[in-house]
Amino acid sequence: MHLSPHRSLRVLLVVLGALLAATGCSREPRQPNVLLLSIDTLRTDHLGCYGGTRVATPNVDRIARDGALFENAACPMPMTRPSLSTIHTALHPREHGVVNNGVALAPESATLAEALSAAGYQTAAFLPVRLLDAASGLAQGFATYAAPESHHLPADRVAPGALDWLAARDPQKPFFVWLHLFDPHLPYGPPPEYAPGEGPDEISWKSLLQTANAHDGDVPAATLARALELYAGEVAYVDHWVGAVTAKLEALGVLDDTIVVFTADHGECFDHGIFFEHADCLYEGAVQVPLLVRYPRKVSAGTRVAAQVEHMDVAPTILALAGVAPPAEFRGRALLPAPPAATGDLVPDAFALVEHPLYQDRSAAGRSRKQDRIRSVAGVPTREIVTDRQSNALRGTTWKLITDGASSELYDLPADRGEQHDLATRKPELTADLRRVLDEKLARHPLRLRETGDVNPRLRETLKALGYVQ
Ligand SMILES: [Zn+2]
């Protein structure tokens, strides 16, 4: 039989296609891998891609350059377990019930790892701190879950586990790896090469309390300066490991087939009378978080998104990019491939809801005792911790409201990133409008406590009186 040139070409292509399919080299894109990199206690202003100049973060900056950077992302509660539970469940802490570090995520919660596992993913998590061990409830959906028995581990004892797992995984199946690094959290003590300059090579709560004791309750300016230097060193150290992980994906030939998400569980406070701490801070240092998504197949390099977004949007975004249907329980929005537009209106969707931890009695007392011994830092008086009132923030791209019900603070973020000029008394109508938006937001996310003991009794009574809890 005689074949026309066109026809022979077609036959050749069909044969080639069959051969490629048989050898597993099909060009049909399969499900993408997912790498969730979360860093504890990382301030957004310490990353070059967010305009930070204090320390070089070339590896994080590269993720930002290759993908999407969210200029206005907020955590829901500046505390580790609550905010990570939000990332994994797409629910506000009020809804998943992890309202402080002492509560575990309920086993019946629907999680990102469960959704990906059900979609055929190999799942593995590498955690640096005992607080995140299986008792945290965050292990659900992970086939491999590595968490330490010791209090916390530096990146060089956590990240290599993820690198080894990536090398040994089944390359025929997509993977979901969650790697969390704890280094920028107190104690600040990076390896020596990341801590140049004079002074102690580690600053911890213990050393801060000793310093305060020796200075009549004040932590001197020099100690604060050294703490900032060591904190910046920890950020540089984490950036090094972020580079090691992305280099590994590149070496394995899967970087562009992987949705890389980079964020922090919360930041850290070094001002407003709150120092070396984040849980009791609703200011930007603790509330704003970095959020980067790299996936060149669906997200253009250099994408910048100004809209206000939240941690609860992270899991829906990953599932949308992976083409996996989100569980019905998820509340957040998919932010990609089509990013939401910024809205300036005073409507709930234009704001992130942030909540002060709802403390259990014991942890609240412990915190207050510790904080009481540091009466000032560099001469600035430290704040008392709120443990028996509900305190919230609404963060939008322009306006930020912080209120404990009785008093309110209002900031114009683009004009006043440092939140130094409280406009609440100058703009009473706007403040009242925002408090109404806050109430609407709280009503949309009703508080669901798992146990009566999850918050302290006085606070529970207040919440009950306000109708926030049954
Ligand atoms: Zn944390």
Side-chain angles (χ1 to χ4, degrees), residues 39-41 78-81 83-84 180 182 185 265-266 278:
I39 312 297
D40 220 290
T41 321
M79 199 178 221
T80 307
R81 258 197 204 177
S83 107
L84 290 174
H180 186 70
F182 195 70
H185 194 285
D265 59 348
H266 50 74
H278 40 267

Side-chain angles (χ1 to χ4, degrees), residues 393-405:
L394 267 190
R395 189 200 190 276
T397 53
T398 303
W399 301 112
K400 177 157 170 200
L401 175 81
I402 302 176
T403 179
D404 63 2

